[in-house]
Amino acid sequence: MTNHWVDIKNADLILVMGGNPAEAHPCGFKWAIEAKKTRKAKLVVVDPRFNRTASVADFYAPLRSGSDIAFLGGVINYLIANDKIHKDYVKAYTNASFLVDPGFKFSDGLFSGYNEEKRSYDKGSWSYQLDKDGYAKIDESWQDPNCVWQLMKAHYARYTPEMVAKVCGTPKESFLKVCEYIAETAAPNKTMTSLYALGWTEHSVGSQNIRCMAMIQLLLGNMGMAGGGINALRGHSNVQGITDFALYAQQLPGYLAAPTDADKDIKSFLEKKTTKALRPGQMNFYQNFPKWYVSLQKAWWGDAATKDNGFAFDYMPKLAGASDVLSIFDQMYQGKINGFLCQGFNPLASVANKKKVSDALAKLKYMVVMDPLATDTSEFWKPYGEFNEVDPAKIPTEVFRLPTSLFAETAGSFTNSGRVILWRWKAAEPPGDAKDDTEIMATLFLKLKEMYAKDGGAFAEPIQKLTWAYRIPNKPSPEELMMEYNGKALADVVDPKDATKVLVKAGDQLPSFAMLRDDGTTTCGNWIYCGVWSQAGNNSARRDNSDPSGLGQTLNWGFAWPVNRRILYNRASADPSGKPWDPKRTVLRWTGKVWGGNDIPDMRPDAAPEENVMPFIMNPEGVARLFARDLMAEGPFPEHYEPFETPLEANPMHPQNPKAKSNPAARVYKGDMEAFGNAKDFPYVATTYRLTEHFHFWTKQSLVNAIMQPEHFVEIGEELAKEKGIAAGDRVKVRSNRGFIKAVAVVTKRIKAFDIDGKKVHTVGIPIHFGFKGATKPGFITNTLTPFVGDANTQTPEYKAFLVNIEKA
Amino acid sequence: MNVTRRQFFRICTAGLGGSSIAMMGFSPNAALAEVRTFKLTRATETRNTCPYCSVSCGVLIYSSGDKSKNAHAEIIHIEGDPDNPVNRGTLCPKGAGLRDMVQSANRLKWPEVREAGASEWKKISWNEAFDRIAKHMKADRDANFMVQNKDGLTVNRWTSTAFLASSAAPNEAGYLTVKTIRALGMTSIDTQARI
Ligand code: SF4
């Protein structure tokens, strides 16, 4: 989230699209209800199903699953055509006036530079025109045909209300009504908050769904404002924290890019990552990359990381290429992965195409499951009738299952989706011999370290030299770990302007990332968390919930990253002269000497408005990007592409170009393309989702949840039920080209057929929570059905739009 | 006697050290008329966070016992934390059922192994588990660790053992995990964040 849960109460309009918080995030959703009650805010829902959130909305508009960009592109067109733009904001705080390389083109669904064979783009022309000093050229009048404003206007002019109706199946009047609601928040003192979740991310165009909304929020001037922003509701309680700590391949803690084969030494690596400002006088915060990166190497390898060895740059493994859950299972499927450690994750149930995942696991030599519960994954080798048809004798994988503690049995911090880090205390011991994840990881690591010391083996230096100053070596405490990733000074940190002034004494915990240095005198395991354990102690354990601003900022409750800031880009909540756009909801204002207000400034505290330092400090432009340059895989402007399994023959936006049918830059593995089904055999659009009583594949293990939702079901509309002779309560079989599931049919008015360009399209809704292990009735795994293809940028699988057929079982 | 709820609980818990009890959904006046003391007044209250969705609601966990060394603490009740500014004491049906998760019949209690081709689990000791897993890891790492790529660039990576990490683990476990697996050279890493 750019904002936070309580801030939703400050909105004038709550647009829920790509999520269903009344069902999936009930206790956070109450802030939407609060806004309705106290501010007379409106709640608008756009979704394929008339869901729980829609049932309390002021307005609901249906759309076909997988057509969000067509809808949002239509909104952009509406705002431009009807002059519902917050002009002063867009002028000052976005790249609308920037001039783009004349080589940049868009024709028949493809941007310039497409390579069909590689399914990717040469992005050379997706850039700005630069002047002799390397700054982007701009045209303040927005008249130049190559300026971002003109290019954007032309790009979205094709997204007419008629086109939206044709692609999305949304009635034209409903679409226009939603546009009117949204357009009202172009007023400087009105805000819309966008709430979304996996309904946007789980598409082959997931990232561009979100980008498209970000563009809308910029055009309306809603970023940085109280009650505004782009708010990812997110999944697990600590999905934000685990993402921040980069438990994935492409990045290191704090979103630092991990080195790859293109990086030969630390010098060239740091130079490449240190961005140069694209406009004069901007903060260009990524210029500090070397300070963050060197401090991480120092946190991990301490004295062994010296200036002379490039701060042990070679100890950090270099990324080989794609590495994400889909590519990992594809590699495993090809027999290229021998071992697999699985920590609190149930991939057999949660990754696309269960059959492929199961076959992949059967090719492993060893697998280690660390989990508090007996998961489906840990028993992938065990037959459970038709729910899991396998022959153990044919599966040679050695499987270890290690019992771990649950939340109530460990201390430590979680970070919620509003980026607030909050400490938790331990209430009881775990059952039996179960251990904490930290003890398991530490013991395993120390065992390997000992074996390497005794017997030698492949490159053991990074193992032997890893810092390990924990009081009980096999049980690092959460307090020690938090202090470590916060970071400390190894030598006195002095003021860069006055070397006699010591800012932090050697040995002290660092108060903020502003103190990090690139000369090896500071350590920090995650720069964005710096400050969470300062000399003042554990700031995530602060429990003062007072809220003098009335905005719900609660600055002394826990600690938000970065530097306890609650609303990102908050400098943009004030006009260029420093006056709040809406004084009633002041987040920040210029006091004459410094920035003050109700949040930690997202700006140099003493940057006077006349200095023209712009609010989007992480961007070298200083402003936000309506045109994304080369930063997205499939283009600088979001474009509608059909899901990989679509009920349509062609992309209605580009009926003549089969290359532009589905995301041209999405990665498809050999064998998976063939496993896509077509509309002839599988005529219905399926979409998967969550229920309020269940959390993923976890709560089926808990008795009370199993009592509330005991059995797998699928939802279909009355019309389809009639066509197929299915009555409520019948058992049905749902098939995709990858397998089938059986479940109970729920026949509902909540799902209606769409009219897509004269063709009737039905939707089948499938909850995900069931499986063959747990306290519920045993069920099939929903992801038996889903396709093995993901978003072109994040590789999040396309769970929300694929094709099935349905019949009475 | 008119007391606020908080005063009421302070009275109830006087002399019980650090523990206190919180809202139970009925008025203090009526509660004071009760003869027997409530189980919760003898319970230890611990502040924690619901582990399910990322609203991350604050919870109060009540366990029997006072956390002293030899006392077995058993969780007897979990409810919303009224001090938490996000959930303000509320919990959804998932959070309200948390005790059944902690006490799920499917909680794992000891390490087990399923041998190649076997059709059942076998209980093993932690020592045996760590020994055997570490041997597998070392053998695979030593056989497949890549020091240099084909262009002679130092890459120091180990791709043939993969790691999927939990998004329900606390930050500190996540940090130790990423630190150790990167030190081992692993790059086939991902988490639930994408799903
Ligand atoms: S109680 Fe419900 S809303 Fe709150 S964190 Fe848990 S699952 Fe989410």
Side-chain angles (χ1 to χ4, degrees):
Chain A
M1 286 189 177
T2 58
N3 296 41
H4 55 90
W5 284 109
V6 183
D7 178 67
I8 297 168
K9 75 170 180 159
N10 298 316
D12 299 294
L13 173 66
I14 299 134
L15 179 70
V16 180
M17 189 170 169
N20 181 8
E23 179 96 31
H25 305 86
C27 299
F29 181 68
K30 82 167 161 304
W31 295 106
I33 300 294
E34 177 92 359
K36 269 167 72 82
K37 274 205 219 139
T38 58
R39 292 185 64 80
K40 308 242 175 313
K42 297 288 182 233
L43 171 65
V44 171
V45 173
V46 183
D47 200 273
R49 299 181 299 128
F50 183 83
N51 58 29
R52 267 205 172 139
T53 311
S55 73
V56 291
D58 295 281
F59 192 75
Y60 163 73
L63 101 165
R64 171 174 62 104
S65 190
S67 66
D68 301 69
I69 291 175
F71 192 100
L72 297 172
V75 173
I76 294 180
N77 180 43
Y78 178 95
L79 296 175
I80 295 176
N82 294 284
D83 198 20
K84 294 290 185 184
I85 304 286
H86 185 177
K87 278 248 177 56
D88 293 337
Y89 185 106
V90 177
K91 273 222 150 86
Y93 299 157
T94 76
N95 67 357
S97 58
F98 283 46
L99 299 187
V100 172
D101 186 316
F104 170 74
K105 292 274 168 334
F106 176 76
S107 81
D108 208 11
L110 297 170
F111 293 91
S112 38
Y114 188 58
N115 182 327
E116 190 185 357
E117 212 170 298
K118 290 195 186 147
R119 297 188 59 80
S120 69
Y121 281 97
D122 168 359
K123 303 176 183 173
S125 62
W126 306 2
S127 54
Y128 302 132
Q129 300 177 28
L130 302 180
D131 66 16
K132 61 178 190 335
D133 299 319
Y135 293 129
K137 290 190 194 166
I138 61 169
D139 169 22
E140 305 246 24
S141 74
W142 294 3
Q143 293 308 315
D144 191 304
N146 283 319
C147 80
V148 167
W149 177 261
Q150 293 295 342
L151 293 171
M152 177 178 69
K153 195 171 151 185
H155 190 86
Y156 291 105
R158 299 169 295 123
Y159 289 73
T160 59
E162 292 72 27
M163 184 56 98
V164 172
K166 186 167 152 181
V167 179
C168 307
T170 311
K172 191 174 151 191
E173 310 69 55
S174 299
F175 167 70
L176 289 173
K177 183 90 185 139
V178 175
C179 288
E180 283 164 26
Y181 274 116
I182 293 175
E184 276 179 36
T185 69
N189 63 345
K190 290 261 184 263
T191 55
M192 164 172 87
T193 178
S194 154
L195 307 185
Y196 76 90
L198 305 173
W200 268 354
T201 58
E202 291 177 346
H203 289 281
S204 50
V205 291
S207 306
Q208 294 282 27
N209 284 336
I210 297 149
R211 233 196 82 66
C212 212
M213 176 48 78
M215 291 169 68
I216 293 172
Q217 287 293 60
L218 289 169
L219 294 173
L220 297 164
N222 287 334
M223 297 302 289
M225 299 282 287
I230 297 278
N231 297 305
L233 306 177
R234 307 219 64 177
H236 287 73
S237 52
N238 200 35
V239 64
Q240 186 62 51
I242 295 298
T243 316
D244 300 336
F245 278 89
L247 271 298
Y248 53 101
Q250 293 75 13
Q251 290 177 319
L252 295 165
Y255 304 95
L256 302 180
T260 69
D261 283 18
D263 301 304
K264 89 177 179 304
D265 53 33
I266 192 160
K267 191 164 165 284
S268 59
F269 172 68
L270 295 180
E271 267 167 22
K272 193 164 83 189
K273 299 298 170 197
T274 307
T275 53
K276 285 180 197 63
L278 280 164
R279 291 293 299 159
Q282 301 309 311
M283 284 182 74
N284 181 32
F285 213 63
Y286 263 100
Q287 64 176 296
N288 298 305
F289 185 92
K291 299 175 187 166
W292 312 329
Y293 189 82
V294 171
S295 299
L296 174 66
Q297 296 274 138
K298 287 298 287 182
W300 287 4
W301 287 292
D303 291 343
T306 63
K307 240 181 208 142
D308 295 336
N309 69 0
F311 297 107
F313 185 63
D314 284 344
Y315 287 8
M316 193 70 86
K318 295 201 177 72
L319 188 61
S323 186
D324 52 77
V325 74
L326 292 183
S327 79
I328 289 169
F329 277 104
D330 190 69
Q331 296 270 307
M332 208 185 279
Y333 185 74
Q334 294 179 41
K336 291 183 186 157
I337 287 184
N338 309 315
F340 170 42
L341 287 83
C342 184
Q343 183 192 59
F345 197 142
N346 192 356
L348 187 73
S350 61
V351 174
N353 194 352
K354 180 204 167 209
K355 172 89 173 65
K356 182 167 177 176
V357 173
S358 179
D359 289 351
L361 294 172
K363 290 184 180 149
L364 291 168
K365 192 164 167 30
Y366 69 103
M367 165 162 125
V368 183
V369 176
M370 298 165 253
D371 210 284
L373 296 155
T375 59
D376 310 275
T377 300
S378 70
E379 300 196 353
F380 78 95
W381 47 270
K382 204 170 181 178
Y384 281 89
E386 59 179 349
F387 307 118
N388 198 46
E389 284 180 290
V390 288
D391 177 3
K394 293 201 183 111
I395 299 176
T397 313
E398 220 171 288
V399 184
F400 297 89
R401 189 158 73 175
L402 309 179
T404 66
S405 51
L406 263 175
F407 74 105
E409 299 145 1
T410 60
S413 66
F414 278 174
T415 307
N416 76 6
S417 42
R419 297 169 287 98
V420 176
I421 309 156
L422 195 66
W423 193 260
R424 311 142 41 253
W425 285 265
K426 173 174 171 166
E429 292 299 328
D433 281 344
K435 291 185 191 297
D436 287 352
D437 288 303
T438 41
E439 185 181 345
I440 295 173
M441 291 309 296
T443 311
L444 210 47
F445 180 79
L446 292 175
K447 181 131 234 155
L448 281 159
K449 183 174 167 179
E450 187 191 301
M451 287 159 75
Y452 274 98
K454 205 164 121 258
D455 309 325
F459 194 50
E461 260 177 68
I463 303 174
Q464 299 303 349
K465 301 279 166 63
L466 193 68
T467 56
W468 208 270
Y470 309 116
R471 271 184 309 255
I472 308 173
N474 69 338
K475 288 185 190 176
S477 73
E479 289 85 355
E480 287 172 308
L481 291 165
M482 186 183 260
M483 287 179 78
E484 176 179 327
Y485 65 67
N486 177 87
K488 63 174 193 236
L490 297 173
D492 286 353
V493 175
V494 296
D495 189 341
K497 287 182 216 132
D498 175 4
T500 62
K501 220 164 116 195
V502 175
L503 301 175
V504 187
K505 288 208 299 283
D508 279 3
Q509 290 290 113
L510 298 171
S512 100
F513 46 70
M515 299 299 146
L516 295 177
R517 297 293 179 259
D518 61 6
D519 58 1
T521 55
T522 54
T523 67
C524 182
N526 187 343
W527 73 277
I528 58 176
Y529 278 62
C530 194
V532 69
W533 193 306
S534 60
Q535 279 302 103
N538 183 352
N539 291 316
S540 77
R542 300 182 310 161
R543 294 182 57 89
D544 174 358
N545 60 9
S546 59
D547 176 30
S549 70
L551 294 173
Q553 296 282 74
T554 54
L555 294 174
N556 295 315
W557 176 268
F559 183 85
W561 71 258
V563 288
N564 203 29
R565 183 174 299 134
R566 307 286 160 144
I567 297 181
L568 298 180
Y569 317 118
N570 56 28
R571 163 66 182 92
S573 70
D575 68 13
S577 77
K579 280 203 283 302
W581 297 110
D582 180 10
K584 289 208 199 91
R585 286 173 291 180
T586 297
V587 186
L588 226 61
R589 69 193 150 78
W590 178 247
T591 62
K593 279 204 183 81
V594 289
W595 287 94
N598 294 311
D599 202 354
I600 313 299
D602 200 349
M603 177 54 38
R604 205 178 73 228
D606 61 353
E610 308 78 75
E611 290 183 52
N612 280 325
V613 186
M614 289 294 130
F616 294 84
I617 65 170
M618 300 307 286
N619 295 351
E621 292 94 331
V623 295
R625 305 181 191 105
L626 295 166
F627 173 88
R629 297 196 272 124
D630 57 353
L631 298 166
M632 304 291 284
E634 59 282 89
F637 293 127
E639 174 66 10
H640 168 74
Y641 298 109
E642 285 292 312
F644 273 85
E645 289 191 342
T646 163
L648 310 184
E649 294 295 317
N651 181 348
M653 308 279 309
H654 312 288
Q656 305 309 327
N657 187 0
K659 280 185 249 173
K661 185 176 177 188
S662 298
N663 188 340
R667 180 187 74 194
V668 186
Y669 286 117
K670 202 169 141 270
D672 292 325
M673 192 66 106
E674 293 70 30
F676 292 142
N678 60 49
K680 200 161 91 330
D681 304 327
F682 303 98
Y684 312 119
V685 176
T687 189
T688 67
Y689 55 89
R690 281 103 176 124
L691 304 171
T692 206
E693 294 83 0
H694 279 299
F695 188 79
H696 291 231
F697 309 94
W698 196 0
T699 44
K700 65 181 161 78
Q701 311 266 18
S702 164
L703 185 62
V704 66
N705 305 66
I707 291 167
M708 290 191 287
Q709 280 294 357
E711 190 174 7
H712 202 177
F713 65 86
V714 301
E715 245 184 314
I716 54 172
E718 290 174 336
E719 200 182 338
L720 178 61
K722 206 160 148 217
E723 256 176 47
K724 291 284 187 175
I726 296 167
D730 281 352
R731 269 191 89 69
V732 289
K733 187 172 180 182
V734 180
R735 290 183 297 119
S736 80
N737 207 27
R738 293 156 294 273
F740 70 88
I741 64 164
K742 289 181 197 161
V744 175
V746 168
V747 178
T748 170
K749 291 189 197 313
R750 294 186 293 260
I751 297 183
K752 292 233 156 42
F754 291 97
D755 172 6
I756 307 294
D757 204 6
K759 184 179 169 179
K760 188 166 276 185
V761 175
H762 291 284
T763 304
V764 177
I766 314 174
I768 61 165
H769 309 288
F770 301 88
F772 52 82
K773 292 294 290 180
T776 54
K777 284 195 188 164
F780 286 82
I781 283 173
T782 296
N783 280 319
T784 305
L785 302 173
T786 49
F788 206 82
V789 64
D791 169 69
N793 301 278
T794 64
Q795 308 303 340
T796 299
E798 188 152 61
Y799 295 135
K800 295 295 184 191
F802 56 98
L803 294 179
V804 296
N805 206 339
I806 186 167
E807 66 218 359
K808 249 169 119 160
Chain B
M1 174 178 162
N2 273 326
V3 289
T4 65
R5 280 213 252 221
R6 290 214 158 239
Q7 284 166 336
F8 159 70
F9 291 130
R10 228 171 283 137
I11 298 163
C12 284
T13 57
L16 278 177
S19 65
S20 66
I21 67 171
M23 302 191 186
M24 295 174 64
F26 43 73
S27 90
N29 286 344
L32 281 171
E34 286 281 344
V35 180
R36 286 197 323 190
T37 58
F38 296 106
K39 208 157 53 164
L40 293 191
T41 62
R42 283 176 281 119
T44 300
E45 180 188 90
T46 309
R47 294 178 164 91
N48 206 300
T49 303
C50 173
Y52 297 139
C53 91
S54 48
V55 180
S56 304
C57 292
V59 296
L60 300 175
I61 302 178
Y62 294 91
S63 47
S64 59
D66 58 1
K67 288 193 179 170
S68 59
K69 202 75 187 155
N70 300 319
H72 173 72
E74 190 181 324
I75 292 171
I76 53 175
H77 179 66
I78 299 179
E79 65 183 29
D81 178 354
D83 289 338
N84 188 297
V86 176
N87 66 308
R88 291 197 176 168
T90 62
L91 292 178
C92 81
K94 290 180 284 286
L98 274 172
R99 201 187 69 162
D100 272 17
M101 167 55 65
V102 176
Q103 289 160 3
S104 165
N106 287 331
R107 285 295 302 268
L108 300 173
K109 299 198 177 68
W110 46 74
E112 292 158 294
V113 65
R114 177 264 176 184
E115 306 285 2
S119 36
E120 283 312 323
W121 289 106
K122 191 173 82 193
K123 187 173 166 179
I124 53 173
S125 70
W126 275 106
N127 269 344
E128 184 184 345
F130 283 131
D131 258 350
R132 288 179 61 178
I133 295 166
K135 276 196 190 116
H136 272 305
M137 289 173 76
K138 184 165 188 299
D140 186 55
R141 187 176 181 275
D142 287 346
N144 297 302
F145 191 84
M146 186 190 270
V147 177
Q148 291 189 328
N149 67 6
K150 59 181 188 322
D151 303 325
L153 177 89
T154 304
V155 294
N156 285 331
R157 65 173 162 249
W158 173 30
T159 57
S160 55
T161 285
F163 197 103
L164 291 185
S166 165
S167 297
N171 290 323
E172 295 67 33
Y175 175 70
L176 189 75
T177 301
V178 72
K179 177 177 163 181
T180 50
I181 63 182
R182 290 282 187 177
L184 289 167
M186 281 193 188
T187 55
S188 301
I189 311 169
D190 205 354
T191 163
Q192 282 151 332
R194 288 180 220 266
I195 325 183

